[in-house]
Amino acid sequence: MSSRTRPGSAQVRPGPEGWNFHQISTRFATTGSGSDAFKALYKDAFELMKHDPENLGLYFVVGIATRSYVRSYEDQGVTGEFADRAKGTLVNFNAKITEALASTPEKRLKLLGEVAIDYEWNVHDF
C-alpha cells in the first residue's frame, strides 16, 4: 500500500497556504459565523481538490454545501442564530470528512455518502 492510499495519509497532505483539511475545518469552527468564514472554507476546500485529487470528492461535498450557503445569503441579513445553525451543520460535515481522511478507502466512501445524503435530504436552508 502506497503512502497515497494509507489511512490518514491524506489528512497531512498540504493544500492552500500549506494547510490541510483538519486545519481548515478547525479554523472555520473557531471563527465567527460571518460570510467571510464560509467563503474561506469553500475556497480552501476547492483549492484542496487541486492538491489532493484522490480525496477531491470529500472536499467537493463540503465546498458545494458551503458555497451554496454563501450564494444564498451573502448579501442578505441573516440572524446570528441562523448563521450559527448553518455553521454547526458544516462543522459536523467537516468532522465526518476529517474522520474519513484518516480512514480506510471503504470507510472514507461510507462517510462521504453520509455527508452527501445528510446535505441532500436534511439541509433545507442552503
Side-chain angles (χ1 to χ4, degrees), residues 51-73:
H51 298 279
D52 187 12
E54 290 179 11
N55 293 299
L56 68 87
L58 298 169
Y59 309 131
F60 181 76
V61 73
V62 168
I64 286 296
T66 309
R67 185 175 70 183
S68 179
Y69 175 87
V70 170
R71 286 184 174 174
S72 296
Y73 301 109

Side-chain angles (χ1 to χ4, degrees), residues 9-22:
S9 64
Q11 193 168 0
V12 296
R13 196 167 295 150
E17 301 178 25
W19 293 58
N20 63 40
F21 187 78
H22 176 73

Side-chain angles (χ1 to χ4, degrees), residues 30-82:
T30 58
T31 59
S33 298
S35 61
D36 287 345
F38 288 85
K39 281 184 200 176
L41 177 61
Y42 91 72
K43 288 178 181 181
D44 288 345
F46 289 153
E47 188 65 26
L48 276 173
M49 291 170 57
K50 298 175 192 174
H51 298 279
D52 187 12
E54 290 179 11
N55 293 299
L56 68 87
L58 298 169
Y59 309 131
F60 181 76
V61 73
V62 168
I64 286 296
T66 309
R67 185 175 70 183
S68 179
Y69 175 87
V70 170
R71 286 184 174 174
S72 296
Y73 301 109
E74 180 176 29
D75 294 329
Q76 296 182 28
V78 298
T79 66
E81 290 174 355
F82 180 83

